[in-house]
């Protein structure tokens, strides 16, 4: 009987070890406790990040700040590990490849400009376009308001295609706590500047920015999990 109890306990422990939720990305793990212990904001962190190729001399580093009602993380691409030193705040703009922040407040809405005209529907979503220059597209789907600002040519349309494709794979992030939010994209599809801002049902606001392919920005966003 004693052996059976021990075997059962071992089985539970063994199975639970494989049932643990995904951990945050390795380069963030040393900072998890420092963030969670210094803020009252529920902390969201990515469990996925496409680290830079081994052939590249660049490294992914972070700069972390945490306060009672706010936390901020800057994701950096550097030639050598970046020292998380208060004297080095903020990090240089040239090295920033992303940001993640959470704070107490409310999200700022970005309604469709009155002068925008209907362009077409894509995947059941109405697209509105800036007249004359035609370089900015506005759309709304579920809780998300979206704005696409291409540098030239067909880029805003390509941004729409890339974002909608990635969001469809992520089921439009319906598994996330999104009360309302906005997505703003500018640049090119290969090196886009993608910004997500959203408010949760509990009244916390989060901001995530990523410089790179749009599909990577959505994958990282979709991987965000609360940590304790």
């Amino acid at each position: 009987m004693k052996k059976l109890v021990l075997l059962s306990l071992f089985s539970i422990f063994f199975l639970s070890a494989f049932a643990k939720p995904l951990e945050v990305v390795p380069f963030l793990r040393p900072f998890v406790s420092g963030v969670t212990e210094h803020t009252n904001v529920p902390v969201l962190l990515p469990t996925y990040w496409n680290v830079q190729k081994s052939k590249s001399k660049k490294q992914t580093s972070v700069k972390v700040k945490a306060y009672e009602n706010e936390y901020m993380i800057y994701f950096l691409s550097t030639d050598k590990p970046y020292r998380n030193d208060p004297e080095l705040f903020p990090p240089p703009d040239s090295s920033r490849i992303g940001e993640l922040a959470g704070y107490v407040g409310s999200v700022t809405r970005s309604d469709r400009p009155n002068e925008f005209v209907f362009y077409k529907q894509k995947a059941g979503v109405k697209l509105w376009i800036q007249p004359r220059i035609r370089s900015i597209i506005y759309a709304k789907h579920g809780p998300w308001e979206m704005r696409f600002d291409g540098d030239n040519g067909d880029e805003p349309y390509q941004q729409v295609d890339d974002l909608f494709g990635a969001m469809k794979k992520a089921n439009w992030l319906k598994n996330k706590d999104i009360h309302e939010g906005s997505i703003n994209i500018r640049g090119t599809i290969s090196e886009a500047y993608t910004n997500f801002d959203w408010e949760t049902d509990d009244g916390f606001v989060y901001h995530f920015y990523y410089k790179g392919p749009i599909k990577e920005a959505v994958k990282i966003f979709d991987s965000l999990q609360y940590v304790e």
Side-chain angles (χ1 to χ4, degrees):
M1 183 68 178
K2 196 172 185 180
K3 288 183 178 180
L4 183 60
V5 172
L6 288 174
L7 182 60
S8 299
L9 289 173
F10 176 78
S11 299
I12 293 171
F13 175 79
F14 182 78
L15 290 172
S16 62
F18 286 92
K20 289 180 179 179
L22 291 173
E23 293 182 313
V24 300
V25 288
F27 62 84
L28 271 176
R29 291 173 194 168
F31 306 101
V32 172
S33 60
V35 176
T36 57
E37 291 173 4
H38 290 88
T39 185
N40 294 325
V41 179
V43 176
L44 279 169
L45 293 176
T47 58
Y48 164 83
W49 194 282
N50 187 16
V51 295
Q52 299 176 76
K53 295 178 181 178
S54 57
K55 292 182 180 179
S56 172
K57 295 181 180 179
K58 297 290 185 179
Q59 300 188 39
T60 302
S61 304
V62 293
K63 172 67 184 176
V64 179
K65 299 284 279 187
Y67 308 96
E68 181 180 1
N69 293 320
E70 181 180 18
Y71 75 92
M72 296 176 291
I73 299 173
Y74 293 95
F75 299 92
L76 313 170
S77 178
T78 57
D79 295 324
K80 57 184 178 180
Y82 185 86
R83 291 186 296 116
N84 194 46
D85 187 332
E87 298 299 323
L88 300 176
F89 186 84
D93 287 335
S94 59
S95 65
R96 297 187 200 179
I97 55 174
E99 297 173 7
L100 176 61
Y103 57 93
V104 177
S106 58
V107 73
T108 302
R109 293 183 58 84
S110 177
D111 295 328
R112 171 170 56 89
N114 292 330
E115 70 272 17
F116 276 41
V117 297
F118 177 72
Y119 170 54
K120 68 176 182 179
Q121 279 199 1
K122 181 175 180 60
V125 180
K126 291 182 179 180
L127 305 180
W128 302 79
I129 195 167
Q130 176 194 43
R132 296 183 300 278
I133 301 176
R134 302 177 71 84
S135 65
I136 302 176
I137 293 175
Y138 173 92
K140 190 176 190 310
H141 180 76
W144 294 107
E145 291 187 316
M146 295 165 279
R147 190 180 181 98
F148 307 87
D149 188 351
D151 287 343
N152 53 64
D154 293 334
E155 283 168 358
Y157 315 104
Q158 294 169 347
Q159 291 171 355
V160 171
D161 289 342
D162 266 31
L163 181 71
F164 281 24
M167 291 289 272
K168 184 178 179 181
K169 287 184 178 179
N171 194 26
W172 283 88
L173 304 170
K174 291 181 180 178
N175 64 324
K176 302 298 180 185
D177 180 11
I178 312 291
H179 178 67
E180 61 179 340
S182 65
I183 303 172
N184 288 277
I185 302 176
R186 60 183 178 86
T188 66
I189 59 171
S190 60
E191 189 170 88
Y193 298 81
T194 305
N195 288 271
F196 297 87
D197 294 273
W198 70 101
E199 184 177 341
T200 67
D201 289 335
D202 294 332
F204 294 100
V205 174
Y206 294 89
H207 164 75
F208 173 58
Y209 151 76
Y210 183 74
K211 177 184 176 184
I214 294 170
K215 64 180 182 179
E216 284 298 305
V218 175
K219 286 177 72 173
I220 295 169
F221 184 102
D222 194 33
S223 80
L224 293 177
Q225 290 189 13
Y226 289 104
V227 299
E228 296 180 356

